[in-house]
Amino acid sequence: MARTGRRPGNQDTREAILAAAREAFAERGYDGASIRQIATSAGVDPALVHHYFGAKDQLFLATMEAPINPGEILPKIFEPGLDGVGERLVRTFVGVWDSPTGTTVAALVRSAMQHEWSARMLREFLVTQILRRATRTLNLDPAEAPKRASLVASQMIGLAMIRYILKLEPLASMTEDEIVRNVAPTIQRYLAEPLPEA
Amino acid sequence: MARTGRRPGNQDTREAILAAAREAFAERGYDGASIRQIATSAGVDPALVHHYFGAKDQLFLATMEAPINPGEILPKIFEPGLDGVGERLVRTFVGVWDSPTGTTVAALVRSAMQHEWSARMLREFLVTQILRRATRTLNLDPAEAPKRASLVASQMIGLAMIRYILKLEPLASMTEDEIVRNVAPTIQRYLAEPLPEA
């Protein structure tokens, strides 16, 4: 990581805030954690938390060392609407995973397999940073959105595992286009088609 | 595990064979490993390997401590043919995972995330114990079967991760029937419908 020009004292403050935030998010979840309480735990003024990290979602991404910013990539996937959303979602995620960033994503997923703390953070991330944006931007029925999102997550996390961690062929070396052709219809169905009734 | 009536000396022989087999399968893969060579490494007669473990696939399952025997459950899924195969596959796997056996399956998947050795064994298991049976029993085009199988694996492993490891709701507490309704069409498409062309 590039060294910043910050003095060591400020670096310590940042670390103290991050440590307090990790504990707060893991214990109380994203919604239950507050900047004010995190600031108190870290022994700093809430304004300093905002100064270093911005809003709560940015602080949350920083504690996860999230390699992507959902606020940047998700609007491109969801804003054009339900038409073609499966293709945009699969293409974007495979693009990120195939980039150098993918290694960090794989590390996050691996960690979530091992530690309940990481699993909880990943759940919170999926629900608060991805599902909520999808629900709002795509105008999903809030009663159905969590079901749709967990189905999408099952296919996308499984795709990442098979391609990048288990490296099962031929999926491990399929082109992005071929993955999109095969998997996008699944995501499209989970997000946009009527959910099957009993 | 229940103690058998075997004398300790025999238990040592079994362990020596298993250790030699683990090494052989990990180094040479399922096809490259031979009972004869495993017997030599373990310093025993090949007949003794057959006596303790049966055929090579049984020995392989023993080295993985596989909690299920594909030779028992897969015929029920594949023998009735492509019609309804998605539903049978999803229902059977969710049934196994929801049973006490599921904990062992989750441990296998977790381990494959962490260790290249376990990942290789899981790949070999998927390809030699599941994919080959599916290809043969369902009469899949051998040129397409590995692609279909890795797509199926991506959805099924992701489903296991979301439901049992990440425990993301509502998928974590969905009924078996509801999972079947939602996910079986995906598996059906990956196995039985024409693969999308460029």
Side-chain angles (χ1 to χ4, degrees):
Chain A
M1 221 178 255
R3 282 189 164 275
T4 69
R6 286 198 188 88
R7 293 190 310 274
N10 291 356
Q11 193 60 34
D12 289 351
T13 305
R14 272 178 66 91
E15 286 305 323
I17 294 169
L18 279 177
R22 279 192 196 97
E23 201 180 321
F25 287 128
E27 279 181 12
R28 279 179 277 281
Y30 180 81
D31 292 325
S34 79
I35 294 272
R36 198 163 53 87
Q37 173 266 318
I38 290 167
T40 304
S41 296
V44 302
D45 191 90
L48 205 61
V49 179
H50 284 293
H51 170 72
Y52 280 132
F53 295 101
K56 186 160 79 167
D57 62 336
Q58 298 302 314
L59 176 59
F60 178 65
L61 295 174
T63 63
M64 289 192 71
E65 303 180 42
I68 53 164
N69 183 348
E72 278 169 23
I73 67 171
L74 295 184
K76 290 174 203 144
I77 298 174
F78 297 140
E79 277 177 5
L82 282 174
D83 198 25
V85 66
E87 170 161 354
R88 292 191 303 275
L89 191 146
V90 175
R91 190 175 295 287
T92 304
F93 275 70
V94 172
V96 169
W97 292 334
D98 280 356
S99 78
T101 300
T103 316
T104 321
V105 177
L108 270 177
V109 173
R110 274 200 175 95
S111 173
M113 300 293 93
Q114 300 298 313
H115 312 291
E116 174 49 31
W117 180 84
S118 305
R120 171 154 198 191
M121 293 294 273
L122 187 52
R123 277 197 302 273
E124 293 283 318
F125 175 79
L126 293 173
V127 171
T128 68
Q129 308 300 307
I130 300 193
L131 165 62
R132 284 187 193 165
R133 276 173 213 272
T135 308
R136 201 171 51 228
T137 319
L138 293 171
N139 260 317
L140 298 179
D141 176 349
E144 292 184 342
K147 195 176 292 182
R148 293 185 184 281
S150 60
L151 289 164
V152 169
S154 76
Q155 173 63 86
M156 294 308 292
I157 286 206
L159 177 60
M161 278 195 46
I162 291 291
R163 183 169 170 88
Y164 304 102
I165 300 182
L166 273 191
K167 298 189 176 71
L168 183 69
E169 294 293 353
L171 222 165
S173 42
M174 244 182 221
T175 63
E176 184 181 305
D177 280 340
E178 195 172 4
I179 293 179
V180 168
R181 279 199 299 278
N182 283 284
V183 177
T186 300
I187 303 303
Q188 188 70 28
R189 187 169 65 77
Y190 290 157
L191 279 176
E193 291 183 28
L195 291 170
E197 300 280 337
Chain B
M1 221 177 259
R3 282 191 163 272
T4 69
R6 287 198 188 87
R7 295 189 308 274
N10 291 356
Q11 194 59 34
D12 289 353
T13 306
R14 273 178 65 92
E15 286 304 323
I17 294 168
L18 279 177
R22 279 194 195 96
E23 197 181 323
F25 287 128
E27 277 180 11
R28 279 179 278 282
Y30 179 81
D31 291 326
S34 80
I35 295 272
R36 198 164 53 85
Q37 173 265 316
I38 289 167
T40 305
S41 297
V44 302
D45 191 89
L48 204 59
V49 178
H50 284 292
H51 170 71
Y52 280 131
F53 295 100
K56 185 161 79 169
D57 61 338
Q58 297 303 314
L59 176 59
F60 178 64
L61 294 175
T63 62
M64 287 191 74
E65 304 178 40
I68 52 165
N69 183 347
E72 280 168 23
I73 66 171
L74 295 184
K76 291 173 204 147
I77 299 174
F78 297 140
E79 277 176 6
L82 282 175
D83 197 23
V85 67
E87 172 163 354
R88 292 192 303 276
L89 191 144
V90 175
R91 191 175 295 286
T92 305
F93 275 70
V94 172
V96 169
W97 291 334
D98 279 354
S99 79
T101 301
T103 316
T104 321
V105 176
L108 270 176
V109 172
R110 276 203 174 92
S111 173
M113 299 295 92
Q114 300 299 312
H115 311 292
E116 175 47 30
W117 180 86
S118 305
R120 173 156 195 191
M121 294 293 273
L122 187 54
R123 277 197 302 273
E124 292 284 318
F125 174 80
L126 293 172
V127 171
T128 67
Q129 307 300 307
I130 299 193
L131 166 61
R132 283 187 194 165
R133 278 174 213 270
T135 308
R136 199 170 54 227
T137 318
L138 293 171
N139 261 318
L140 298 178
D141 176 349
E144 292 183 342
K147 195 176 295 184
R148 293 185 184 281
S150 60
L151 289 164
V152 169
S154 76
Q155 174 64 86
M156 294 308 292
I157 286 207
L159 177 59
M161 279 195 45
I162 291 291
R163 183 169 170 87
Y164 304 102
I165 300 181
L166 272 190
K167 299 189 174 70
L168 184 69
E169 293 294 354
L171 223 164
S173 42
M174 243 182 223
T175 64
E176 184 181 305
D177 280 339
E178 194 171 6
I179 294 179
V180 168
R181 278 199 299 279
N182 282 284
V183 178
T186 300
I187 304 303
Q188 188 69 26
R189 186 168 67 79
Y190 290 157
L191 278 177
E193 290 183 27
L195 291 170
E197 301 278 337

